Each structure stands twice: as structure tokens, then as C-alpha cells.
Amino acid sequence: MGQLEGKVALVTGSGRGLGRSCARIFAREGARVVIADINPEDGAETVRLIEEAGGRATFVAVDVGRSEDIQRMVRTAVETYGGLDCAINNAVCNIGRTPLADIAEEDWNRAQAVNITGVFLCMKYEIRAMLARGGGAIVNVGSGNEHSSVPGLAWYLPAKQAAYGMAKVAALDYGAQGIRVNAIGPGSMWTPALRETAEKIPQHVEVLSKRSPLGRLAEPEEVAEAAVWLCTPAASYVTGHTLVADGGAVLG
């Protein structure tokens, strides 16, 4: 029996990459999983992989920049599986590396609608569902990058810092009601996006690998194991914490 047998988990941005890995690990641990993604084909593939392995999953198309989509996402978990116990807020809007003064206002607004307001709204409605359930666990996905500065990511670093800040405050707000809230700070991973970058700029992978004392990038599953662990009973006394899973890159 898995650590999350009978639980209900929700993962945003779970059509591929880290989100897909989190969803598959939730299912492996016995949870029924709501796959939330803006891309129906990617979401359906995650469901297929989970069901082929004997798990249960449901896909819901979600634009995390829209409150009505987020509310429908949480309702899907409650109506399909009876409640919500675990959530990983992983969806991100990536507008690329651009110097701050060159970022178009519409791109900035879209990025923050997903990366800051979207995380807030996900937490808002996830928490309400978890209160009705009597408790739960939430993990916000940050990034190892916000522990230092990276050129061209003025839209990105503040959003990840906000995700950490909201996790800490929500941990204080709802700890007494049985809801734990943490964050995960991933290092560089072999996600589909990074593979695409590596094809165009092969030296980029070498640069990233050298930042870690381990001398390599992570597989998404390695970070996902840590993220899902934060939702398990094994982490029952962990809240308001950011678990950095970056292969030690932050040490440099």
C-alpha cells in the first residue's frame, strides 16, 4: 500500500515535465490524481501513463490565469473523487529571457496572472476544499534560481519569491486547521523545455551541470519525489519550509 492510499491529489501543469512526474508518483503512492494542464494532448498522455500503471487519473483543461478555470479544476477533484487532500502548484507561464525594460506590458501581465495571481487563486480554492476535508498538504513550485540573480528573468524571479512567501504565510494561517503548506525549489532538470534549449545551445547544459557539485542535471522524477514527499505522512511535521532540490547548486 502506498503512502497516499485513498487520497486525492491535484497537480497543475502536469501535462509534461516536473508536473507529469509528480502526478505519476502521486498515483504510484495510491492517490487518485487530477491532471490539470492547458494542453489537452499532454494532459491526456499523463492520464494514459498513470492508467497503464494501474492508477486512477482525470484530466481537466485549465488556464491557471483564469479564476473560473481554477475553481472548476478544484470542483472536478471534489465531484470526481470526493474531496482534495494534496496539491502541487506547478504551472508556469514562460515568456523567455528579456531585459526588464524590453518586456512588453502584455507579456508581463500574462506572466504574473499565471505565476503569481494563479498560484494565489489555486491556493485559495485548494485550501477551501481541504478545510472541508479536515486538512491537507500544498506544495508551491519555486526555482533554485531565486536564491541568486539571472539576467533576463525579471518576470520570473519575483513570481517564485511570491510563491515561497505565500506558502509561508498560508502555513501560519492554516496550520492549526490541519493544512500544511510548503514549497520546493528545483534545480535544473531534463524537462522537455530544457531539451529543446539543449538542441539549440548544447553548451547551455554544460554550464548548468557545472553549477551542481554532483556535476549533472536532475531528472524530473528526482525533484518530484521530494515534492510529493512533502505531501505524505512522512512529512507530517514539516510546514512553511522550502525544500531546495538543486543538487547543491545554491552552495556556489
Side-chain angles (χ1 to χ4, degrees):
M1 182 176 291
Q3 296 185 79
L4 295 168
E5 198 70 36
K7 300 296 185 180
V8 180
L10 183 160
V11 185
T12 66
S14 46
R16 61 183 203 164
L18 176 62
R20 172 179 287 176
S21 295
C22 289
R24 296 182 72 182
I25 293 168
F26 269 127
R28 183 198 71 196
E29 293 300 319
R32 294 158 291 172
V33 191
V34 175
I35 307 302
D37 201 275
I38 199 168
N39 187 311
E41 292 182 0
D42 288 346
E45 176 64 9
T46 301
V47 170
R48 184 188 69 79
L49 291 169
I50 287 173
E51 291 180 342
E52 280 189 352
R56 292 180 62 187
T58 297
F59 170 70
V60 56
V62 174
D63 178 345
V64 177
R66 294 169 53 88
S67 177
E68 54 268 40
D69 279 19
I70 292 169
Q71 293 179 59
R72 177 169 48 81
M73 171 185 76
V74 174
R75 280 201 309 272
T76 297
V78 174
E79 293 173 358
T80 305
Y81 296 126
L84 181 64
D85 302 291
C86 311
I88 294 183
N89 297 316
N90 168 71
V92 63
C93 173
N94 187 339
I95 62 173
R97 294 196 178 195
T98 308
L100 187 148
D102 295 331
I103 297 174
E105 288 188 30
E106 57 269 28
D107 289 341
W108 173 270
N109 290 337
R110 171 60 181 167
Q112 304 322 312
V114 172
N115 302 335
I116 295 182
T117 304
V119 173
F120 157 69
L121 290 171
C122 283
M123 294 178 70
K124 175 184 178 73
Y125 293 105
E126 290 160 359
I127 287 168
R128 289 184 177 183
M130 290 177 183
L131 289 172
R133 188 81 153 169
I138 295 173
V139 175
N140 288 345
V141 176
S143 167
N145 281 338
E146 75 289 331
H147 293 286
S148 60
S149 297
V150 177
L153 294 183
W155 60 270
Y156 182 74
L157 272 65
K160 294 307 181 180
Q161 290 170 339
Y164 289 149
M166 285 188 279
K168 291 177 182 179
V169 174
L172 293 172
D173 286 342
Y174 297 101
Q177 293 161 278
I179 298 176
R180 295 184 300 105
V181 188
N182 292 290
I184 186 90
S188 298
M189 299 173 284
W190 279 114
T191 60
L194 182 57
R195 292 185 188 281
E196 291 168 6
T197 301
E199 290 179 3
K200 300 174 185 176
I201 315 172
Q203 64 270 27
H204 183 61
V205 174
E206 183 179 356
V207 170
L208 293 176
S209 297
K210 287 181 178 178
R211 292 178 182 172
S212 166
L214 301 180
R216 64 176 178 83
L217 305 186
E219 294 297 333
E221 292 78 11
E222 294 179 281
V223 177
E225 290 282 4
V228 174
W229 175 81
L230 287 168
C231 294
T232 68
S236 60
Y237 204 59
V238 181
T239 195
H241 177 67
T242 297
L243 175 55
V244 179
D246 71 343
V250 72
L251 300 175

